[in-house]
């Protein structure tokens, strides 16, 4: 019994045409060609792109032709077709009076091959009774279509022909989101540099020899001491504040409205000693004053103040406490990368998650994983590296004062190291899609025979027909449009036999990946806060490395991806009727 889907396609593609010479043999060959290529299209998941019609009514004028067509299709499927060998690809295209393809408009890519020299003719046809004056030819070739193309196209039914490309309704939105995301990314990076530069300026103020800066630092320390005393009048006062305040009040000013500091030399000496002993009494007060003076003279005004206040609100870390946070920088970089990803998806696939949609118009789990790891790891690395670049201003006297030696900028080491566990995570996320790409073509074999050799001298792995495990696959599920892609695809099987079934290995992979990415993200967030003692006593860069995640982290990731790839390599098979009866 012939495949009902193939019968519907053959009838849909041929019922309107008749052979020009009236020969039943010519028409039967057309039906045989369409039958073979329709079966191939079905195996690749493209049969929905071909024209289909139900059988005609019994007793109608078309019923006899349909019966003859069924015999032809059964012969092709049963391997008893006795006519000339059937082609690997075919197309019906209009021809001119002299028999050449009509080229009033450039040929669509789907039929551009019909002008090649090795193309044969399978007969000429007319639509209906030919009263419209148009003549069509069946063009045949032994060169197979690629795995992502229909093997049959028809100018009569429009099958295989590209639909008119409508203007992307999200084009302007995609550009707006992309530009905004790029600006956010740049601002996030600039803010990280900004923060590092401001703190390096504060560190340099501790050892400055510039009289103007020295006086500003002494003034700021004095005012901090007075504010602290008013807030905690019964609290212990540092020795530094005792040297600057007069009776716990601000000292008097001279005729030039400047404070007279009788122990300025001693306080400045205390400031210079703080990098070597950050926990020393009074160093926290001096450091907070240095930050205020540094920000006053830095180019971080206006916008920085707003972003700095936002960061303080989110992290609870304020510059007045002497600590620093690059949380807002990190979040801005994450949002920038995410925004660029969304913009690219809208611009190319007209979907927010368009970057995750593969060539089969399914949401790809591998693409989603690579995107998530890239956004989190790249944002974290960029935040820390740019902060270090800004903080490189301490290289020299400021670093030497902390006992680290006067580092040159070339040996400062602004870019953090990448631990083995993080490199493994990024490597696994990148390699997994490559291995997946090698496995998937083995499920797209076009015939029933398993071919262990690689077809073609070019070694194109897409032509392999050997399954990894078990019986040969029924083929991969493919969709006609990115609009049919769904986020649920990351949980579902990829083959025709299990496309509507949740794949437990994929579910496991999603849960583990989400857990690890969120864990890594949380660790990076915690790292964005830097304490006052660490900043005061820094001898080199603050962020020397991304966090080491450990062997357990790597083992979980490896186990998850291994299970996922092994499950992908196994060929899904549908239950036969007997199995279904037993299960029921």
């Amino acid at each position: 019994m012939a495949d009902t889907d193939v019968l519907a396609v053959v009838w849909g593609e041929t019922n309107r045409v008749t052979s020009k010479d009236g020969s039943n043999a010519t028409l039967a060959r057309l039906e045989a060609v369409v039958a073979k290529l329709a079966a191939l299209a079905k195996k690749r998941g493209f049969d929905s792109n071909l024209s289909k019609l139900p059988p005609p009514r019994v007793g109608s004028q078309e019923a006899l032709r349909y019966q003859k067509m069924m015999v032809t299709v059964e012969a092709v499927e049963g391997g008893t077709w006795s006519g000339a060998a059937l082609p690997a690809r075919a197309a019906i295209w209009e021809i001119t009076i002299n028999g050449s393809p009509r080229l009033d408009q450039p040929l669509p890519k789907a039929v551009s091959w019909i002008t090649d020299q090795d193309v044969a003719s399978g007969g000429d046809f007319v639509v209906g009774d030919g009263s419209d004056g148009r003549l069509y030819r069946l063009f045949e070739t032994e060169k197979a279509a690629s795995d992502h193309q229909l093997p049959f196209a028809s100018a009569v039914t429009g099958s295989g022909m590209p639909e008119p490309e409508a203007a992307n309704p999200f084009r302007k939105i995609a550009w707006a989101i992309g530009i905004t995301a790029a600006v956010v990314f740049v601002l996030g990076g600039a803010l990280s540099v900004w923060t590092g530069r401001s703190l390096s300026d504060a560190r340099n103020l501790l050892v400055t020899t510039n009289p103007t800066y020295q006086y500003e630092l002494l003034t700021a320390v004095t005012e901090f001491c007075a504010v602290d005393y008013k807030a905690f009048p019964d609290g212990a006062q540092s020795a530094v504040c005792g040297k600057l305040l007069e009776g716990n009040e601000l000292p008097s000013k001279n005729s030039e409205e400047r404070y007279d500091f009788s122990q300025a030399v001693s306080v400045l000496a205390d400031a210079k000693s703080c990098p070597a002993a950050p926990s020393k009494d009074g160093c926290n007060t001096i450091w907070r004053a240095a930050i205020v003076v540094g920000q006053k003279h830095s180019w971080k005004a206006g916008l920085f103040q707003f972003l700095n206040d936002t960061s303080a609100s989110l992290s609870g870390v304020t510059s007045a406490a002497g600590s620093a946070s690059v949380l807002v920088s990190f979040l801005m970089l994450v949002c920038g990368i995410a925004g660029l990803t969304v913009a690219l998806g809208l611009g190319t696939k007209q979907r927010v998650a368009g970057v995750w949609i593969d060539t089969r118009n399914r949401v790809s789990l591998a693409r989603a994983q690579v995107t998530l790891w890239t956004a989190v790891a790249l944002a974290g690395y960029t935040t820390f590296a740019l902060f270090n670049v800004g903080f490189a201003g301490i290289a020299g006297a400021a670093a030497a004062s902390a006992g680290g030696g006067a580092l040159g900028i070339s040996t400062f080491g602004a870019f953090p190291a990448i631990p083995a566990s993080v490199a493994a995570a990024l490597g696994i996320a990148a390699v997994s899609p490559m291995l997946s790409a090698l496995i998937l073509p083995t499920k797209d074999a076009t015939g029933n025979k398993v071919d262990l050799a690689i077809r073609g001298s070019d070694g194109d792995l897409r032509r392999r027909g050997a399954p990894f495990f078990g019986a040969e696959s029924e083929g991969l599920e493919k969709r006609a449009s990115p609009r049919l892609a769904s986020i649920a695809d990351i949980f579902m099987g990829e083959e025709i036999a299990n496309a509507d079934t949740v794949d437990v290995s994929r579910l496991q992979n999603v849960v583990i990946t989400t857990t690890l990415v969120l864990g890594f993200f949380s660790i990076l967030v915690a790292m964005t806060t830097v304490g006052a003692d660490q900043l005061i006593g820094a001898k080199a860069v603050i962020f020397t490395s991304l966090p080491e995640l450990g062997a357990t982290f790597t083992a979980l990731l490896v186990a998850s991806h291994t299970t996922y790839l092994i499950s992908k390599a196994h060929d899904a098979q549908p239950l036969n009727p007997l199995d279904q009866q037993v299960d029921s």
Side-chain angles (χ1 to χ4, degrees), residues 356-378:
W356 295 356
I357 299 176
D358 59 19
T359 55
R360 294 177 292 119
N361 292 322
R362 286 174 51 98
V363 173
S364 167
L365 175 58
R367 285 171 173 257
Q369 290 174 323
V370 171
T371 305
L372 290 175
W373 281 113
T374 299
V376 175
L378 181 60

Side-chain angles (χ1 to χ4, degrees), residues 72-86:
T72 301
V73 173
E74 289 174 355
V76 172
E77 292 188 345
T80 60
W81 168 254
S82 58
L86 300 176

Side-chain angles (χ1 to χ4, degrees), residues 491-493 498-507:
F491 301 103
M492 312 301 285
N498 65 355
D500 59 349
T501 304
V502 173
D503 187 328
V504 177
S505 68
R506 294 170 71 86
L507 176 61

Side-chain angles (χ1 to χ4, degrees), residues 221 223-233 241 284-285 288:
V221 173
E223 291 174 350
F224 264 106
C225 287
V227 171
D228 289 346
Y229 177 77
K230 288 183 179 180
F232 302 99
C241 291
N284 183 270
T285 303
R288 288 185 290 146

Side-chain angles (χ1 to χ4, degrees), residues 197-259:
R197 172 65 185 277
S198 172
L199 294 171
S200 72
D201 288 347
R203 269 292 302 274
N204 290 331
L205 279 171
L206 298 180
V207 297
T208 184
T209 57
N210 185 310
T212 300
Y213 288 160
Q214 287 178 334
Y215 177 80
E216 290 185 9
L217 177 61
L218 290 171
T219 300
V221 173
T222 302
E223 291 174 350
F224 264 106
C225 287
V227 171
D228 289 346
Y229 177 77
K230 288 183 179 180
F232 302 99
D234 297 328
Q237 190 181 63
S238 67
V240 169
C241 291
K243 297 176 183 179
L244 296 173
L245 296 179
E246 296 178 355
N248 295 323
E249 297 289 339
L250 291 173
S252 58
K253 294 184 178 181
N254 58 26
S255 59
E256 297 178 356
E257 291 298 314
R258 294 168 64 90
Y259 293 117

Side-chain angles (χ1 to χ4, degrees), residues 289-354:
I291 291 177
V292 171
V293 176
Q295 289 184 358
K296 176 182 176 181
H297 287 282
S298 70
W299 50 287
K300 298 189 326 176
L303 176 62
F304 168 77
Q305 190 62 49
F306 169 76
L307 295 176
N308 195 43
D309 292 344
T310 303
S311 180
S313 176
L314 291 174
S315 63
V317 178
T318 63
S319 57
S323 300
S325 173
V326 287
L327 176 61
V328 169
S329 299
F330 174 58
L331 295 180
M332 288 176 70
L333 290 170
V334 171
C335 291
I337 296 173
L340 288 172
T341 302
V342 170
L344 290 171
L346 287 174
T348 56
K349 301 288 188 178
Q350 302 182 27
R351 297 288 299 274
V352 171

